[in-house]
Amino acid sequence: MRVAQLAKAAAVSSETVRHYTDLGLLRPTRDPHNGYQQYSSTDLQRLRFVARARRLGFSLKDSQHILASADKGNAPCSEVRDLLSERLSALQAHIEECQRLAQVMQQAFAQWADKGECAPDGQAICRLIEEFEADAGERRPATPCPAH
């Protein structure tokens, strides 16, 4: 198979095939008659594997490592479980941080609902942010906009 045929069979772009080839994830041979890269059914299997791994949150570097381990005859499944566990923990922490940030943003909207617009005056750039109270320990008295 050539690049376009492999890409179509795996439902990815030709650029993806070329990129993965450059990274060593795919191992085409050269056609001695025309110099074109020829991909095998093994390359298709590897390409589909990498696509599935990406959907599971694995990086291309992870895929390189997993494929290298498999190429050496090692069973990479326990390593895959460990990596997935790490990725899942990191993702859950990221989700919690995003939820916390969403709450802070909602709090900001509520605090800013009745505040007017102020132009930078040398004392403040944007009073909405500078006077924002993310928690009770940060409370500062609000300063009114200077008279224009």
Side-chain angles (χ1 to χ4, degrees), residues 29-135:
T29 58
R30 289 275 176 197
D31 185 319
H33 302 292
N34 58 22
Y36 290 143
Q37 292 179 321
Q38 292 291 340
Y39 293 89
S40 67
S41 59
T42 300
D43 289 310
L44 178 58
Q45 178 189 24
R46 291 168 72 93
L47 183 55
R48 287 178 173 158
F49 172 85
V50 174
R52 285 184 183 112
R54 298 283 291 158
R55 286 193 297 275
L56 279 165
F58 292 99
S59 69
L60 289 176
K61 193 169 239 172
D62 294 334
S63 292
Q64 283 175 313
H65 184 73
I66 294 163
L67 287 170
S69 183
D71 289 343
K72 292 176 187 171
N74 300 325
C77 292
S78 64
E79 213 174 325
V80 166
R81 282 187 189 96
D82 292 343
L83 278 171
L84 187 63
S85 176
E86 288 174 24
R87 296 297 186 281
L88 182 56
S89 294
L91 179 60
Q92 288 170 329
H94 182 70
I95 289 169
E96 289 171 13
E97 177 60 20
C98 288
Q99 289 172 332
R100 185 203 62 78
L101 180 58
Q103 289 174 341
V104 169
M105 289 177 168
Q106 289 170 344
Q107 183 182 356
F109 267 124
Q111 286 181 21
W112 298 346
D114 60 349
K115 299 206 181 213
E117 300 287 322
C118 291
D121 62 2
Q123 300 295 316
I125 297 168
C126 176
R127 292 183 190 281
L128 294 176
I129 292 174
E130 291 164 331
E131 296 173 357
F132 176 65
E133 300 167 6
D135 62 18

